[in-house]
Amino acid sequence: MSNEISGKVVRGNGFGRKIGFPTANVELAKNSQRPADGIYACWVKIHPDSEPGSESRYMGALHVGPRPAIGDVVPTIEVHILDFAGRDLYGQQLSLQLVKRLRDVKNFDSMDELKAAIQKDCEEVRRYFAAS
Ligand SMILES: Cc1cc2nc3c(=O)[nH]c(=O)nc-3n(C[C@H](O)[C@H](O)[C@H](O)COP(=O)(O)O)c2cc1C
């Protein structure tokens, strides 16, 4: 699969940071088609406003859809960027190239289970890119 979407990083509720997986919440650009709900491996390109043309590429674990584990029915598009040193991305443009669908969005009985699932997703993303 290869589906590219883009959008601006907007504020989430900051909960991801607390469980050790900060995410960039993406407001989808008008010309991007919303992917089907699920968890994906993707490439993340950051387009810094200040340095046009000097974009960098990272691996990402992407969530698309509602968040039953935290009781939130409003769908989000949010990406945990692997090996990214926590620079503030609010307001910046990201483009995401979805390369593999990993699983469906699930409900979890505890935050520990959600955290363990995201950890496993990230390992799967690394394995996928290492093998491709
Ligand atoms: C790779 C990945 C997988 C996720 N999987 C699920 C999931 O299966 N179920 C769910 O309810 N939320 C899932 N989430 C969303 C988390 O609940 C969310 O990132 C967390 O609540 C932080 O939200 P915030 O950035 O708005 O603070 C996932 C997030 C990521 C990055």
Side-chain angles (χ1 to χ4, degrees):
M1 74 179 295
S2 186
N3 176 13
E4 187 147 338
I5 60 174
S6 60
K8 195 172 79 171
V9 179
V10 294
R11 257 170 223 286
N13 52 32
F15 178 71
R17 199 172 301 277
K18 277 192 208 136
I19 61 170
F21 292 98
T23 58
N25 291 51
V26 178
E27 186 182 81
L28 206 56
K30 284 196 183 69
N31 59 357
S32 287
Q33 237 191 323
R34 194 186 170 78
D37 289 358
I39 313 304
Y40 298 85
C42 65
W43 283 118
V44 183
K45 278 190 201 157
I46 303 170
H47 304 274
D49 293 339
S50 48
E51 315 153 65
S54 65
E55 59 183 40
S56 32
R57 190 170 87 152
Y58 296 87
M59 296 180 280
L62 174 69
H63 165 96
V64 179
R67 301 178 298 178
I70 60 163
D72 192 351
V73 296
V74 179
T76 61
I77 298 179
E78 44 180 293
V79 62
H80 174 70
I81 307 175
L82 277 71
D83 306 322
F84 182 70
R87 168 159 65 84
D88 190 342
L89 291 176
Y90 292 126
Q92 296 201 357
Q93 291 290 330
L94 297 187
S95 55
L96 307 174
Q97 191 193 347
L98 283 59
V99 294
K100 189 181 197 300
R101 192 172 189 281
L102 303 176
R103 64 174 172 89
D104 289 335
V105 172
K106 288 191 248 174
N107 196 357
F108 295 98
D109 292 333
S110 69
M111 288 304 103
D112 281 349
E113 283 176 43
L114 170 65
K115 201 172 154 177
I118 297 176
Q119 174 73 51
K120 196 164 156 254
D121 295 331
C122 292
E123 283 161 17
E124 225 179 301
V125 169
R126 281 187 200 284
R127 261 203 305 277
Y128 177 78
F129 284 116
S132 64

